[in-house]
Amino acid sequence: QVQLVESGGGLVQAGGSLRLSCAASGSRFSINVMGWYRQAPGKQRELVAAVTSGGSTNYADSVKGRFTISRDNAKNTVYLEMNSLKPEDTAVYYCNAEKQTSRNRYVYWGQGTQVTVSS
């Protein structure tokens, strides 16, 4: 099984930046997609950004132009650089990894890391 270890969360003022990292270990196969989700109090978990093994990226409209997702396949690590942070970005951020084969779909989640943006 895959274990996802996150780091980089914390408290930052509006307009500041944070960089989240998520390292995957224990994988016996290539991971197709890695990404970041977030969940704020009282809200549904939402996709923030995702990146495929080929480098294709996808972003939520609310973070386009401010966040950048990247992936180091050799290190099995995904990063989320968050710039121009806003109070509404405050949430628990979860790393996600997915692998889909012809018969099975595998989904893994990190434990979550708190990001708090103060005004």
Side-chain angles (χ1 to χ4, degrees):
Q1 292 186 324
V2 174
Q3 292 180 316
L4 304 177
V5 181
E6 303 166 339
S7 62
L11 174 65
V12 66
Q13 292 185 346
S17 300
L18 285 173
R19 186 172 189 250
L20 306 182
S21 299
C22 175
S25 63
S27 178
R28 304 291 294 180
F29 49 83
S30 298
I31 298 173
N32 298 122
V33 180
M34 297 188 73
W36 292 92
Y37 288 71
R38 69 185 181 187
Q39 187 167 21
K43 296 185 177 181
Q44 296 182 187
R45 185 175 298 188
E46 64 175 347
L47 175 67
V48 178
V51 59
T52 69
S53 59
S56 298
T57 58
N58 186 44
Y59 296 91
D61 289 340
S62 60
V63 306
K64 286 182 178 178
R66 299 189 298 119
F67 291 10
T68 302
I69 190 169
S70 61
R71 177 175 177 173
D72 187 333
N73 290 331
K75 297 180 179 179
N76 288 322
T77 301
V78 64
Y79 307 92
L80 184 68
E81 183 174 338
M82 304 183 292
N83 300 313
S84 301
L85 283 162
K86 304 175 181 179
E88 48 263 46
D89 294 319
T90 295
V92 177
Y93 284 70
Y94 297 90
C95 182
N96 165 266
E98 297 184 6
K99 170 70 175 181
Q100 189 164 8
T101 68
S102 60
R103 295 204 302 168
N104 301 103
R105 178 171 178 257
Y106 305 89
V107 181
Y108 305 94
W109 292 96
Q111 78 286 352
T113 184
Q114 178 70 46
V115 172
T116 302
V117 184
S118 65
S119 60

